[in-house]
Amino acid sequence: MVASAAPNHIQKPRGHLGRRLVRSVDRWILPLYAFVAVLYLAIPVLVMIAFSFNDPTGRSNLTWKAFSINAWLDPLGKPGLAQAVTTSISIAVLSTIIATILGLLIGLALVRHAFRGRGIVNLLIFLPMSTPEIVLGVSLLTLFIASTQWSFVPKGTFFPLSFTTILIAHVMFNISYVVVTIRARLQGFPRHLEEAAADLGANEWTTFWRVTFPLILPGVIAAALLAFSLSIDDYVITEFTSGQTQTFPIFIFGSQLRGIPVQVNVIGTIIFVSAVLFVVISTLLQRRQRLDPVEAEEE
Amino acid sequence: MSWFRRHPSIAGWLLLAPGILYLLVFYAYPTVQMFLVSLWTGSAASGYTLTWNFGIYASALNQYQDQIFRSIEFGGLATLFTFVLSFPLAYFIAFRGGRYKNILLFLVIAPFFTSFLLRTISWEIIFADNGIVLGPAKELGLVPPTFRLLATPVAVIAGITYNFLPFMTLPLYVALEKIPPSLLEAAQDLYAGTWQRFRRVTLPMALPGVFAGTLLTFIPAVGDFVNAELLGSPQSQMIGNVIENRFEKVSDYPTGAALSFILMAAILAAVFIYARLVGTEQLSGGGA
């Protein structure tokens, strides 16, 4: 009895200390860490915004000199910049439309139809997402280069590289992301609503446009937004498929050696702020009108 | 339309056909073409011919082994750092986020609405020799005047770690969030201490997230050349820099293609080993 009581007596304060340590980690250190981590994530963005108000003396916008709003007053005032931004937006819009249509069809087939070869199709969707961007860029470039040796490809289709080859590349890397996003939305789809439409005499075409499509629309929009943002930000794959054509990221990288103009920070800030505003506003709108039948059903 | 109903398999293939054809022509075939180009010999000026020159793989591996090992080292270290930085954050959001969960997740993702290049350039500004950090530090005498961050491996690894952090944080969060509270309560009822509960319940349940996060971070990290280009020096070049240089500067297509093929093969091998260990459904988010 005495022997077993003694270790208990010694262990008690140690356990107490351990519990206090755990509690202080839980109560103070973890929230503090989360705060510091979020701040760390935000720092480069804050630096980008701050340096859009810089007035650099030399060519490079790397050290702080003086406050100025000159770049904000003339955000496209660098040769080639307006053209690059226009090209980026055009490619993003076109590749989003094409990839969303192709991806939606694949998503519908995968979720709603039984067919052989499903495993291979899934693999073909999954592989582009797990291939490094540089390999996607290089392999497309080798295709474009090799196509000049093929008689069945009209001269100049793919090489020299152009707007078209960038567009081909962006559609390619966007399809998988669209499929994955839409598939997640289609799983758990209320099939009985379509059956109800059929029972009420709607043909398949009407059922698709009046019942199915409105239900999957949020997923389609989410996929399209993802595709747009991936396209407008892409540098690596575009670098290998662009030739002389400049997109906004290519412009940034190209001017990196000569010194990045302050205007780049201005446009970066505008893109960042509009993306944040867009997400905030759409979240608020969604919260206000819960008209979404899929979600309503889940609740 | 009723014909569709009688032949569901054909209807499925019709829906698939355009997108799958696109991926076959512009994703699958190009990787074959990349392999073929790696076996070309010639020059940009005189033209290239397919000579099945397999020797290029030995010479490319030999000539660029430094960059290959450096890529694995930088990518591996950056992946480890993203894990160490992400885990407490994901843990906090999943278990302690409460009603601020979505706002916290938004704060994690929002910085990445900024272009990848601009984020890296911001780190260039932060690390600059007499920039906003080292400038004052040198004036105060905290570091010697010749001290550099930019153009060092530290800057490259820090850049990669930052740029791919959400690829680790989000899968970890998803895995941690899925752990049913009842399981943790059960552990407590069975007299598991906080540490034991973490080690025997939380950590094993988070493993799928760790696997997915590691892959999602390591794949882009090992192939990256932007961070090494903007934040590093010629002495800290990675395999991506060599590939970019072979294609864009010297038009040495075969060597560039061979190195890309090695990179792709190595990563696919890693993905398949992972897939065997954890199953593809964990990797692609279901269905695969």
Side-chain angles (χ1 to χ4, degrees):
Chain A
M1 276 302 273
V2 178
S4 67
N8 256 345
H9 187 70
I10 300 165
Q11 262 181 351
K12 214 176 176 185
R14 270 181 66 199
H16 197 66
L17 192 74
R19 223 177 304 146
R20 262 169 61 188
L21 186 73
V22 164
R23 206 184 300 150
S24 72
V25 166
D26 206 43
R27 195 171 291 172
W28 296 108
I29 300 181
L30 208 53
L32 186 71
Y33 175 79
F35 176 76
V36 173
V38 166
L39 195 69
Y40 157 74
L41 287 169
I43 283 173
V45 180
L46 300 176
V47 168
M48 174 192 72
I49 297 172
F51 275 71
S52 75
F53 295 103
N54 192 16
D55 184 16
T57 41
R59 275 177 172 175
S60 77
N61 188 14
L62 289 183
T63 43
W64 183 262
K65 285 289 183 309
F67 181 85
S68 153
I69 55 162
N70 286 342
W72 278 93
L73 296 176
D74 190 15
L76 293 173
K78 283 286 163 196
L81 184 53
Q83 181 62 48
V85 172
T86 316
T87 306
S88 268
I89 294 173
S90 317
I91 287 173
V93 169
L94 288 172
S95 70
T96 299
I97 294 170
I98 301 170
T100 305
I101 293 170
L102 295 177
L104 172 62
L105 295 180
I106 296 178
L108 284 170
L110 280 178
V111 178
R112 329 195 50 187
H113 291 271
F115 54 87
R116 295 166 62 128
R118 174 180 293 270
I120 290 170
V121 170
N122 272 318
L123 191 67
L124 196 58
I125 303 298
F126 170 63
L127 279 180
M129 293 190 295
S130 59
T131 307
E133 279 192 284
I134 190 166
V135 174
L136 294 177
V138 164
S139 58
L140 265 176
L141 176 58
T142 60
L143 172 77
F144 297 148
I145 292 169
S147 75
T148 55
Q149 300 179 351
W150 301 337
S151 53
F152 61 88
V153 177
K155 276 256 169 296
T157 315
F158 299 131
F159 206 85
L161 303 170
S162 62
F163 184 94
T164 318
T165 50
I166 306 177
L167 182 60
I168 288 172
H170 284 214
V171 172
M172 185 270 290
F173 70 70
N174 267 335
I175 288 179
S176 299
Y177 289 97
V178 171
V179 173
V180 170
T181 313
I182 289 181
R183 187 174 60 189
R185 182 81 195 181
L186 280 171
Q187 275 161 354
F189 182 87
R191 290 297 286 267
H192 60 262
L193 290 182
E194 288 175 331
E195 284 152 20
D199 289 348
L200 293 168
N203 63 25
E204 291 189 18
W205 189 249
T206 316
T207 308
F208 179 81
W209 285 112
R210 303 283 295 270
V211 178
T212 315
F213 191 73
L215 284 173
I216 59 174
L217 190 62
V220 174
I221 292 173
L225 283 176
L226 179 64
F228 186 88
S229 60
L230 287 173
S231 168
I232 205 150
D233 189 30
D234 183 74
Y235 167 69
V236 175
I237 297 169
T238 314
E239 160 78 4
F240 288 95
T241 51
S242 60
Q244 301 298 313
T245 312
Q246 282 204 327
T247 61
F248 182 53
I250 297 280
F251 178 91
I252 299 175
F253 203 83
S255 56
Q256 197 260 331
L257 293 174
R258 288 171 274 125
I260 295 149
V262 188
Q263 277 83 354
V264 163
N265 290 49
V266 174
I267 296 174
T269 306
I270 294 172
I271 293 176
F272 172 73
V273 172
S274 11
V276 168
L277 279 180
F278 186 86
V279 171
V280 170
I281 290 171
S282 62
T283 312
L284 289 179
L285 282 180
Q286 258 181 9
R287 215 174 269 179
R288 278 186 58 183
Q289 38 164 250
R290 277 279 174 101
L291 291 174
D292 189 342
V294 175
E295 240 144 61
E297 201 174 51
E298 279 165 5
E299 276 162 15
Chain B
M1 279 306 212
S2 60
W3 179 84
F4 263 18
R5 212 170 266 170
R6 269 181 280 126
H7 303 272
S9 180
I10 294 171
W13 273 107
L14 279 177
L15 290 171
L16 282 173
I20 293 303
L21 268 179
Y22 195 97
L23 287 179
L24 285 175
V25 173
F26 293 116
Y27 169 74
Y29 179 72
T31 57
V32 177
Q33 186 63 56
M34 183 172 77
F35 181 64
L36 292 176
V37 167
S38 74
L39 304 174
W40 282 4
T41 41
S43 70
S46 60
Y48 285 99
T49 41
L50 181 60
T51 54
W52 304 97
N53 172 29
F54 282 100
I56 191 141
Y57 281 88
S59 62
L61 279 172
N62 200 27
Q63 196 178 348
Y64 298 109
Q65 54 175 322
D66 286 356
Q67 286 89 340
I68 291 173
F69 284 122
R70 195 176 294 126
S71 300
I72 297 170
E73 184 195 336
F74 284 12
L77 281 173
T79 307
L80 181 68
F81 292 144
T82 57
F83 175 73
V84 172
L85 290 173
S86 292
F87 197 89
L89 182 61
Y91 185 91
F92 178 79
I93 300 174
F95 293 118
R96 304 282 309 280
R99 60 204 181 93
Y100 299 111
K101 217 176 247 181
N102 285 333
I103 294 175
L104 281 167
L105 278 179
F106 178 70
L107 286 174
V108 169
I109 299 166
F112 299 87
F113 293 164
T114 313
S115 153
F116 173 59
L117 279 178
L118 286 171
R119 268 181 272 141
T120 313
I121 288 166
S122 283
W123 283 110
E124 206 180 342
I125 294 174
I126 294 165
F127 289 147
D129 287 338
N130 290 302
I132 49 180
V133 174
L134 287 188
K138 283 174 184 173
E139 235 156 77
L140 292 171
L142 294 175
V143 293
T146 51
F147 183 80
R148 297 197 77 184
L149 273 174
L150 205 59
T152 64
V154 175
V156 179
I157 296 170
I160 298 175
T161 303
Y162 177 83
N163 273 318
F164 301 121
L165 197 75
F167 294 123
M168 183 65 89
T169 313
L170 295 179
L172 283 180
Y173 165 77
V174 170
L176 289 169
E177 160 85 337
K178 270 189 198 153
I179 301 177
S182 56
L183 221 56
L184 298 173
E185 280 159 25
Q188 204 155 23
D189 291 347
L190 294 168
Y191 297 107
T194 314
W195 168 245
Q196 243 191 334
R197 195 178 61 185
F198 177 77
R199 202 176 63 87
R200 312 251 323 239
V201 181
T202 314
L203 214 53
M205 295 285 287
L207 269 187
V210 178
F211 280 129
T214 305
L215 264 190
L216 287 174
T217 312
F218 186 71
I219 291 172
V222 80
D224 178 75
F225 66 89
V226 172
N227 287 283
E229 183 84 36
L230 296 180
L231 304 173
S233 68
Q235 281 74 46
S236 57
Q237 287 210 330
M238 295 168 68
I239 197 64
N241 300 86
V242 179
I243 296 171
E244 201 256 347
N245 189 52
R246 290 292 103 188
F247 275 98
E248 302 295 309
K249 310 256 160 55
V250 294
S251 297
D252 175 9
Y253 305 141
T255 309
L259 289 170
S260 304
F261 196 80
I262 292 168
L263 179 64
M264 184 184 77
I267 282 174
L268 283 186
V271 169
F272 277 116
I273 292 169
Y274 254 74
R276 288 295 293 272
L277 288 174
V278 294
T280 42
E281 272 181 45
Q282 301 286 1
L283 298 177
S284 67

